[in-house]
């Protein structure tokens, strides 16, 4: 199956499911020791069809953790901004709520990166939306523990991958 065919299959599957399943998936993430011990975390501001992260962001903020969210800055790149609350978000590229907080560039401080995707497989391969933003950015944080997060119906037997695709250390679904 090609990447395009797998994206189409996932789009069909998502019509049958609800984002209410986010509660179950984020509960699994909360039990991961890498997540619980992390001090600086890269997460994402969820699109409507992704595992919702706002409850996690609120919880981590109340724990005094450093939260980073990506912001698209060009056709090929994204940067990280600190998240200090919902007031830091505004609509950005691709209708994603993006952070407006302080720019963050001390990448070696990132303990964990929680990454969305269209599909994942049990080997940690990730299928994104096709622009390569995360694959390019993740090369800048090679030591961060990378967790793909998705709904169970986004798991595939095999995700096609190219040499430049970055593999996840774990997948929570």
């Amino acid at each position: 199956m090609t990447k395009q065919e797998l994206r189409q299959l996932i789009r069909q599957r998502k019509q049958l499911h609800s984002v209410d399943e986010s509660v179950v998936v984020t509960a699994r993430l909360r039990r991961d020791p890498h997540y619980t011990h992390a001090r600086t975390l890269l997460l994402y501001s969820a699109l409507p069809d992704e595992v919702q992260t706002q409850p996690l962001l609120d919880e981590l903020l109340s724990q005094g953790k450093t939260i980073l969210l990506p912001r698209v800055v060009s056709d090929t790149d994204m940067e990280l901004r600190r998240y200090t609350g919902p007031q830091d978000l505004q609509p950005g590229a691709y209708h994603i709520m993006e952070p407006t907080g302080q720019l963050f560039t001390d990448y070696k401080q990132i303990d964990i990166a929680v990454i969305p995707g269209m599909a994942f497989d049990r080997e940690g391969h990730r299928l994104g939306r096709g622009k390569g933003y995360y694959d390019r950015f993740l090369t800048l944080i090679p030591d961060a523990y990378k967790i793909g997060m998705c709904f169970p119906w986004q798991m595939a037997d095999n995700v096609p991958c190219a040499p430049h695709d970055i593999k996840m250390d774990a997948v929570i679904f």
Side-chain angles (χ1 to χ4, degrees):
M1 182 177 299
T2 67
K3 288 184 177 188
Q4 246 349 77
E5 291 168 334
L6 184 53
R7 283 188 187 97
Q8 185 59 35
L9 175 64
I10 295 302
R11 285 185 189 105
Q12 291 169 354
R13 285 182 185 173
K14 92 170 113 177
Q15 302 301 318
L16 306 173
H17 295 276
S18 163
V19 293
D20 290 343
E21 298 171 48
S22 290
V23 174
V24 175
V25 177
T26 56
R28 289 185 183 117
L29 177 64
R30 286 182 178 101
R31 291 191 297 267
D32 186 287
H34 293 93
Y35 176 82
T36 56
H37 296 336
R39 292 181 316 276
T40 302
L41 301 93
L42 165 59
L43 277 94
Y44 61 92
S45 183
L47 288 168
D49 64 347
E50 294 175 333
V51 175
Q52 297 301 295
T53 57
Q54 193 59 52
L56 295 173
L57 297 174
D58 295 340
E59 180 180 288
L60 292 167
L61 198 57
S62 73
Q63 295 171 0
K65 308 255 182 162
T66 300
I67 305 165
L68 309 171
L69 297 176
R71 179 171 178 247
V72 172
V73 294
S74 74
D75 288 340
T76 58
D77 296 310
M78 60 186 198
E79 65 185 13
L80 300 185
R81 299 273 175 164
R82 286 183 184 265
Y83 174 81
T84 61
Q87 73 281 358
D88 285 353
L89 297 175
Q90 68 180 21
Y94 309 104
H95 308 288
I96 299 169
M97 293 300 286
E98 291 186 331
T100 60
Q102 178 185 8
L103 181 65
F104 185 91
T105 58
D106 191 5
Y107 300 146
K108 66 181 175 291
Q109 296 300 314
I110 300 171
D111 299 308
I112 189 170
V114 179
I115 310 296
M118 291 285 293
F120 293 90
D121 65 22
R122 292 184 186 276
E123 300 299 314
H125 300 114
R126 173 185 170 274
L127 178 70
R129 293 186 184 261
K131 295 282 192 176
Y133 285 104
Y134 276 104
D135 288 315
R136 278 187 294 279
F137 184 79
L138 290 173
T139 63
L140 303 175
I141 56 170
D143 297 330
Y145 191 78
K146 296 160 197 62
I147 297 179
M149 188 163 68
C150 67
F151 296 110
W153 48 268
Q154 290 176 284
M155 291 299 291
D157 291 334
N158 181 33
V159 171
C161 57
H164 65 271
D165 292 333
I166 302 293
K167 191 173 169 181
M168 301 292 103
D169 295 305
V171 179
I172 303 284
F173 57 95

